[in-house]
Amino acid sequence: MQKYLIKDLAKYEGQDVTLMGWASNKRESKGLVFIVLRDGTGWCQCVVSLETVGENLFEEARKVSLESSLTISGKIIKDERQMGGFELQATSVTLIGESIEYPIANKEHGVDFLMDKRHLWLRTQRQWAIMRIRNQIIFAIHKFFQEEGFVQMDAPLFTGNACEGTSNLFETDFYGDTAYLSQSGQLYGEAMAFSLGKIYTFGPTFRAEKSKTRRHLSEFWMIEPEMAFYDIFDNMNLIENFLRYVTTEVLQNCEKELVIIGRDTSILKNISKPFPRLSYDEAVKIIKGEQDVNGKNAITSLEEELKMVQARMQAIKEEILQREEKLKVPGMKKGEIGFNQAQIDKLKQELADCEEQERNIPQWLNSARNFEYGNDFGGSDETVITRLFDVPIMVYNWPHAVKAFYLKRDPADSRFARGVDVLAPEGYGEIVGGGERETDEKLLIEKIKEHELPMEAFEWYLDLRRYGTVPHAGFGLGLERLVTWLCKLPHVRESIPFPRMYGRLLP
RNA sequence: UCCUUCUUAGCUCAGCUGGUUAGAGCACAUGACUGUUAAUCAUGGGGUCCUUGGUUCGAGUCCAAGAGAGGGAGCCA
């Protein structure tokens, strides 16, 4: 039915076509109506002129409201002023579905409102671009692993055993038994790797963490490769190649989308540089400010950041005052008043964000200064350290006590486990967690007891050590966190079509 | 679970130390304007100021409790 797509307009220059879509914007003056049509592949301005279409059709076009659906036929004309470079001069307009009082206006909205209207919010250009980048990332992930000889093999979503404790699992009824929604397919991944060699899972994951932060979701998509005959260093090489591949694909294929969301791609282009690999010991020194990175110190640069935030707040306050003074002067045009008002609203939102930061940074400074050797990194510690780098960093060899039971004890120093976390730059923090797996059955049993996990649930897992164990490793990538970083989003909730998070089940 | 900020029109926000009928812009409706890209002009409709209780001659404004939301800690990808 749909023959002509907006993305292909260049092919149809000078021809008559019929476009089908939704009116994303409309402006009108006497004798002319401008409808910006979107069809999912792009946006195109359509001009309806009274002279060309006549009284009746013109009235129809005038009735078109925001997000009503319609069919427009007409000739494609080159017009450099337009996004995409073309516009359509309409010969006919047919309304398909009307749209009365569309709630999302062409202006700033609050998050709560937009989240309630997520099903409509997705229609905006920015969300369109993010979803296309998400799609490109997913495609690139599959391409990478398939080209590297991995087999996609998925783990079950209902599980009878808790991988790392039950406190953050969703409980459900499975024919009278308690089942949990999977929070990781990793243990199954190990079993699959011992059959197919190199595998990856790609599926949803559920965590009942009552977290309300910009990087947590209750339901998110995770990619978990697992490889037989890989040690932690092979694993780190793979992670680095993988992230570089996916990022490069996005840079190459999503140029237009990155422009729409205003992403500064210079940092993403650094992906070709090697990722720094820091041992836990080094990373702790950097967090505590005892060691500089590229001449930058974690503590002092955070203090500077705080000062910058405060200076910015002062500047915003002054600009708001200035604009408010301007508004008081009589005789300003109505349109200019509206523009200034919109600017003030925008500035106020930025001010609120700055105030938030002004409250948070001292807490982060405090926790960085008082970081206790041996602890796991908190969200703020990750932020503190990744601000110093312009590429992802890998932190490996963690104190075994703070990490999962299945990680391999470092043969060289038994205080450590061979885990690796990848932290994205620009303050985004952990996007990948992985490591080499423990192969020693006795050590595993010890760990399971130490974590007070039910031994009988892990019998099958221990079989993997009893029947031909080999060195193996793997990692888990949080898809939404990668999307969030690559798009530099302020919050993970924009990286998935319908986010599920603490306190959010609708729409 | 804890800390912190917030809740006034469909949306984004004003509303000073409590004081007549609660304001603006956007959106919407009607009309005017031959080309607009969130900036043309006029007019108009639209509010249980989150809820409950208290202080007061008088509460959107002060106090208390509750509900909802934002951000952070813990936990994590």
Side-chain angles (χ1 to χ4, degrees), chain A residues 232 235-244 271 275-278 377 382 385-386 391-396 398 403 419-425 428-435 474-478 481-482 485:
Chain A
I232 186 162
N235 196 21
M236 287 197 275
N237 292 340
L238 180 75
I239 294 172
E240 188 170 336
N241 291 338
F242 166 67
L243 289 175
R244 185 169 295 133
I271 201 79
F275 298 4
R277 298 179 187 191
L278 310 170
F377 291 176
E382 291 175 0
I385 192 167
T386 57
V391 272
I393 58 169
M394 302 207 246
V395 182
Y396 66 98
W398 293 79
K403 287 287 174 185
V420 54
D421 280 0
V422 179
L423 310 178
Y428 277 92
E430 188 170 0
I431 50 172
V432 168
F475 64 91
L477 166 86
R481 286 197 179 169
L482 181 61
W485 169 54

Side-chain angles (χ1 to χ4, degrees), chain A residues 459-493:
Chain A
E459 277 304 319
W460 69 266
Y461 181 67
L462 293 169
D463 265 0
L464 304 176
R465 274 61 185 178
R466 293 171 188 142
Y467 305 108
T469 191
V470 297
H472 62 294
F475 64 91
L477 166 86
L479 175 66
E480 285 74 20
R481 286 197 179 169
L482 181 61
V483 175
T484 303
W485 169 54
L486 290 180
C487 295
K488 203 172 180 179
L489 303 178
H491 196 295
V492 261
R493 69 183 145 223

Side-chain angles (χ1 to χ4, degrees), chain A residues 271-290:
Chain A
I271 201 79
S272 56
K273 295 199 283 191
F275 298 4
R277 298 179 187 191
L278 310 170
S279 68
Y280 174 82
D281 282 13
E282 286 175 278
V284 169
K285 278 184 198 150
I286 292 168
I287 288 171
K288 292 177 76 94
E290 292 165 5

Side-chain angles (χ1 to χ4, degrees), chain A residues 423-480:
Chain A
L423 310 178
E426 302 175 271
Y428 277 92
E430 188 170 0
I431 50 172
V432 168
E436 188 173 337
R437 316 308 183 191
E438 184 56 76
T439 47
D440 185 323
E441 187 189 345
K442 280 198 199 93
L443 276 175
L444 272 177
I445 290 173
E446 221 173 82
K447 272 282 180 185
I448 290 170
K449 282 183 183 155
E450 205 179 294
H451 283 79
E452 292 175 351
L453 298 168
M455 192 62 69
E456 62 284 0
F458 293 96
E459 277 304 319
W460 69 266
Y461 181 67
L462 293 169
D463 265 0
L464 304 176
R465 274 61 185 178
R466 293 171 188 142
Y467 305 108
T469 191
V470 297
H472 62 294
F475 64 91
L477 166 86
L479 175 66
E480 285 74 20

Side-chain angles (χ1 to χ4, degrees), chain A residues 72-253:
Chain A
I72 303 185
S73 303
K75 189 183 267 184
I76 299 303
I77 302 293
K78 202 173 174 72
D79 187 329
E80 296 297 344
R81 291 170 300 182
Q82 304 309 325
M83 177 190 155
F86 295 91
E87 74 172 18
L88 181 143
Q89 298 199 328
T91 50
S92 88
V93 175
T94 315
L95 193 68
I96 301 170
E98 59 180 0
S99 162
I100 296 160
E101 305 219 4
Y102 188 68
I104 298 183
N106 209 353
K107 63 169 299 212
E108 298 285 322
H109 288 285
V111 249
D112 190 29
F113 176 76
L114 287 172
M115 286 300 292
D116 282 339
K117 301 275 180 284
R118 181 63 174 164
H119 51 296
L120 303 176
W121 188 20
L122 287 170
R123 300 183 186 191
T124 62
Q125 202 176 36
R126 181 180 158 82
Q127 299 304 314
W128 174 89
I130 294 169
M131 288 306 134
R132 285 179 59 91
I133 293 169
R134 178 188 165 100
N135 172 65
Q136 183 62 238
I137 291 170
I138 292 170
F139 187 53
I141 288 169
H142 281 293
K143 250 172 88 183
F144 175 83
F145 285 120
Q146 295 292 332
E147 282 169 11
E148 293 286 321
F150 283 66
V151 175
Q152 189 195 342
M153 246 177 123
D154 291 317
L157 298 186
F158 284 121
T159 59
N161 57 287
C163 181
E164 296 163 54
T166 55
S167 60
N168 50 18
L169 286 171
F170 285 105
E171 231 181 83
T172 178
D173 176 84
F174 191 78
Y175 308 116
D177 283 336
T178 300
Y180 302 100
L181 294 181
S182 172
Q183 61 172 354
S184 166
Q186 194 228 301
L187 303 186
Y188 297 97
E190 291 183 41
M192 296 187 285
F194 283 13
S195 167
L196 280 284
K198 295 196 287 185
I199 66 97
Y200 68 106
T201 69
F202 197 129
T205 301
F206 308 90
R207 303 226 175 139
E209 296 158 347
K210 287 186 179 171
S211 301
K212 292 181 90 166
T213 79
R214 57 185 70 224
R215 50 180 198 286
H216 283 87
L217 290 169
S218 303
E219 177 186 283
F220 63 96
W221 289 71
M222 190 148 73
I223 292 89
E224 295 182 285
E226 193 70 34
M227 299 77 67
F229 305 105
Y230 265 56
D231 64 15
I232 186 162
F233 303 102
D234 299 325
N235 196 21
M236 287 197 275
N237 292 340
L238 180 75
I239 294 172
E240 188 170 336
N241 291 338
F242 166 67
L243 289 175
R244 185 169 295 133
Y245 182 94
V246 172
T247 306
T248 306
E249 287 283 300
V250 169
L251 282 169
Q252 278 172 4
N253 301 313

